[in-house]
């Protein structure tokens, strides 16, 4: 199955949304994308991937916001202003970037399920608005429970060898596509990087749709 | 004289615009800022500085768009789309980033003169829309001549030891202020990075103005 195959089943305009729960600018897009896509009749193809291995493949052993202290200092001021502008809560995480392997595996499993958007918002808010350790089994279970989902069953499935492998493969696919940060959006082969390009990506998505 | 003193002479809301002619995203802001600021009654404090020494001070020996090839490839696609969106011409420069020391020295000299905005647009278009060598005496002379200005006289003044020193000092001031890229905007102590934040910076500028 090609990277995009899962999304090519409808005639609705489609946007691929590549993200990592540890990424602060992905937080903004997770909170915004569902309403923006719905307003344009666009379908979201959720593409969780691990940003850490992608950074390492590019020669960086941490987030650029940690490696470059000037940029890092700026980013949190920018986040405060952006969150205020969009009406999104923010409490700077005491650990950044937060590893969230289990939460990411659950996201991969949920990518085509109806609870995906709500689950992603829940995890992101736990990380960036409540400073909870989204890397822990406890917090992921709590997030699923909040949504009325069978946490234990989902987590067992998420931890299966097959699902673990799929997340590694999706991460490798991100690197092959030329992704170097998150969030990244694809509309066909056209790549858009950063929450600042979400609106442009969606506008482009609708403009090239067969029914557009 | 403090870094901001030259701009603190009016009661109009003021935005500091820190830029380098070699910077592609500075190109977008140079082409856009005058109309956007005028629409809000804001005054622009032009702050040319040399991005190269700032990058070197942060440990980078070239533009991140050159050092990171994935990001570099993306940036020119993004520039194409952004220029189309804003109605700005673009021809990818065959040399990037282009050193433009003389052009920058002239910009420093012109920062408080009435021809500054037009001069900056002219130089930027020569670099990013006509692929001319804006590092050369010939092209800087031509740009000044196009504006009906006494090129030789201005260039002589720009090359004075005093003006050369001022550009070094302004570049050092950029680093002290925490600038790590261009364009960067300041409204008071509030820093905004990137052409994507120009509108936010201007909105903020007007919101805190004494007469706002």
């Amino acid at each position: 199955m090609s990277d995009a195959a899962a999304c090519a089943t409808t005639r609705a305009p489609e946007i691929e949304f590549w993200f990592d729960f540890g990424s602060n600018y992905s937080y903004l897009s997770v909170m915004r994308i569902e309403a923006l896509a719905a307003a344009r009749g666009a379908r979201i193809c959720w593409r969780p991937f691990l940003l850490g291995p992608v950074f390492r493949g590019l020669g960086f052993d941490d987030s650029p916001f940690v490696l470059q202290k000037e940029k890092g200092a700026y980013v949190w001021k920018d986040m405060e202003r952006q969150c205020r502008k969009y009406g999104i809560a923010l409490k700077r995480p005491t650990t950044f970037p937060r590893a969230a392997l289990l939460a990411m595996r659950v996201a991969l499993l949920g990518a085509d399920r109806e609870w995906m958007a709500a689950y992603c918002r829940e995890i992101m808010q736990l990380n960036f608005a409540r400073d909870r350790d989204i890397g822990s089994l406890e917090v992921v279970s709590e997030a699923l429970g909040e949504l009325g989902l069978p946490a234990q069953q989902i987590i067992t499935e998420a931890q299966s060898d097959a699902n673990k492998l799929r997340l590694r493969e999706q991460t490798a696919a991100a690197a092959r596509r030329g992704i170097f940060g998150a969030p990244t959006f694809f509309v066909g082969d056209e790549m858009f990087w950063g929450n600042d390009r979400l609106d442009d990506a969606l506008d482009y998505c609708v403009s090239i749709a067969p029914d557009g």
Side-chain angles (χ1 to χ4, degrees), chain A:
Chain A
M1 191 171 85
S2 82
D3 299 336
C7 250
T9 52
T10 70
R11 281 178 63 85
E14 291 170 344
I15 183 169
E16 290 175 53
F17 174 27
W18 293 76
F19 67 98
D20 184 306
F21 287 133
S23 149
N24 58 292
Y25 288 116
S26 293
Y27 171 45
L28 302 183
S29 291
V30 161
M31 300 306 289
R32 298 173 63 227
I33 194 169
E34 202 178 31
L36 295 174
R40 292 168 174 89
R43 182 168 176 274
I44 304 162
C45 306
W46 299 83
R47 296 273 191 268
F49 77 104
L50 300 176
L51 190 52
V54 168
F55 278 152
R56 284 192 291 277
L58 297 171
F60 304 106
D61 61 4
D62 205 334
S63 161
F65 304 158
V66 175
L67 295 175
Q68 298 180 48
K69 73 177 169 56
E70 292 79 6
K71 187 177 280 187
Y74 170 76
V75 157
W76 293 103
K77 288 195 176 184
D78 187 54
M79 280 294 291
E80 280 176 25
R81 290 190 302 240
Q82 291 280 295
C83 284
R84 199 178 311 131
K85 178 169 154 179
Y86 293 125
I88 295 171
L90 178 69
K91 181 177 176 184
R92 183 173 171 174
T94 47
T95 301
F96 179 85
R98 210 160 233 150
L101 189 56
L102 174 60
M104 293 294 288
R105 286 174 175 158
V106 170
L108 186 67
L109 196 72
D112 295 316
R113 304 195 189 176
E114 61 188 10
W115 46 265
M116 181 64 175
Y119 167 73
C120 291
R121 285 194 298 267
E122 184 70 22
I123 291 286
M124 281 297 208
Q125 287 173 303
L126 285 165
N127 190 13
F128 288 103
R130 295 178 55 199
D131 193 21
R132 299 287 304 279
D133 179 9
I134 58 164
S136 72
L137 174 63
E138 176 200 343
V139 172
V140 175
S141 301
E142 187 182 313
L144 290 167
E146 278 291 320
L147 302 172
L149 296 167
Q152 198 176 333
Q153 178 190 322
I154 288 172
I155 287 170
T156 300
E157 199 179 343
Q159 299 280 47
S160 71
D161 287 345
N163 194 60
K164 288 177 178 177
L165 177 62
R166 273 184 64 215
L167 186 57
R168 284 196 294 275
E169 287 174 345
Q170 183 134 299
T171 297
R176 279 198 307 276
R177 296 281 292 271
I179 285 176
F180 54 84
T184 294
F185 310 96
F186 274 96
V187 178
D189 289 331
E190 200 82 2
M191 185 167 107
F192 298 81
W193 172 49
N195 177 67
D196 291 332
R197 293 290 177 275
L198 174 53
D199 287 280
D200 285 354
L202 282 166
D203 288 342
Y204 176 72
C205 177
V206 171
S207 77
I208 63 159
D211 302 328

